[in-house]
């Protein structure tokens, strides 16, 4: 079936408000900011950016918030994919 939704979720440690990650998944590039001081990032991606098979994910620190005192580390990455019903 055709993809309906693709959502990237990242759980980290050491994140503070104002931190941002540069994300590239397949053909989609975006910047995602830390949400509400909870060490979480969430980004909805265009379904056309993801292909069947292998997709390369690249993460970089785009910027750190002014309160950053710890190393930012990625603990877990989930990519939720939903399809249209046929």
């Amino acid at each position: 079936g055709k993809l309906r939704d693709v959502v990237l979720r990242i759980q980290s440690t050491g994140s503070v408000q104002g931190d941002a990650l540069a994300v590239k998944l397949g053909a989609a590039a975006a910047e995602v900011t830390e949400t509400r001081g909870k060490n979480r990032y969430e980004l909805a991606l265009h379904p056309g950016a993801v292909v069947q098979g292998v997709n390369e994910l690249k993460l970089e620190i785009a910027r750190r918030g002014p309160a950053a005192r710890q190393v930012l580390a990625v603990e877990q990455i989930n990519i939720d994919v939903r399809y249209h019903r046929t």
Side-chain angles (χ1 to χ4, degrees):
K2 293 189 82 177
L3 286 176
R4 185 180 79 182
D5 297 307
V6 178
V7 179
L8 175 68
R9 291 185 173 89
I10 300 168
Q11 179 70 42
S12 66
T13 58
S15 292
V16 296
Q17 189 169 6
D19 284 354
L21 297 176
V23 176
K24 185 170 184 187
L25 178 62
E31 189 173 288
V32 59
T33 56
E34 196 273 343
T35 54
R36 301 177 303 280
K38 305 220 185 276
N39 283 297
R40 292 191 178 113
Y41 299 81
E42 186 172 308
L43 178 65
L45 297 168
H46 187 275
V50 180
V51 296
Q52 193 171 27
V54 176
N55 289 274
E56 183 176 311
L57 173 65
K58 182 178 179 181
L59 295 175
E60 294 180 352
I61 297 173
R63 69 177 174 275
R64 295 298 317 260
R69 301 287 180 266
Q70 298 178 0
V71 172
L72 193 158
V74 172
E75 297 289 324
Q76 183 175 340
I77 297 172
N78 288 18
I79 300 174
D80 298 329
V81 178
R82 289 192 287 181
Y83 292 86
H84 288 282
R85 292 184 182 183
T86 54

